[in-house]
């Protein structure tokens, strides 16, 4: 089990899948979502050490997600 977790938030499924594969091979725990709302819930629940966040998301924007998790 990895000591470090990364939350990836992107509405492009191909981007999510590719980043997830690469980071899991590097032994990171990877959480993914394509929604800003879900990202906020996952951030609160899992407390990842790093968030890779797309700025242009459907619903609430990546900028708003960033403001809330800061």
């Amino acid at each position: 089990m990895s000591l470090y977790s990364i939350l990836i938030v992107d509405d492009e499924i191909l981007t999510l899948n590719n980043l997830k594969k690469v980071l899991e091979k590097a032994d990171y725990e990877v959480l993914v979502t394509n929604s800003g709302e879900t990202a906020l819930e996952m951030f609160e629940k899992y407390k990842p050490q790093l968030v890779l966040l797309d700025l242009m998301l459907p619903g609430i924007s990546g900028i708003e997600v960033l403001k809330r998790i800061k």
Side-chain angles (χ1 to χ4, degrees):
M1 185 169 120
S2 174
L3 296 175
Y4 301 103
S5 63
I6 300 171
L7 172 59
I8 305 170
V9 187
D10 199 315
D11 58 338
E12 302 261 345
I13 300 303
L14 185 60
T15 300
L16 283 178
N17 290 336
N18 288 337
L19 285 171
K20 185 175 195 281
K21 285 179 191 176
V22 168
L23 292 168
E24 284 179 336
K25 282 184 182 179
D27 203 30
Y28 290 100
E29 178 184 346
V30 180
L31 308 162
V32 296
T33 183
N34 63 353
S35 151
E37 292 85 356
T38 305
L40 291 171
E41 293 170 10
M42 293 175 83
F43 185 83
E44 286 300 315
K45 183 174 182 179
Y46 298 106
K47 305 291 188 211
Q49 284 74 40
L50 177 68
V51 178
L52 300 177
L53 179 61
D54 185 5
L55 298 179
M56 304 288 286
L57 295 169
I60 64 171
S61 72
I63 295 292
E64 183 61 29
V65 172
L66 179 61
K67 286 178 185 176
R68 292 186 192 184
I69 64 176
K70 261 182 99 176

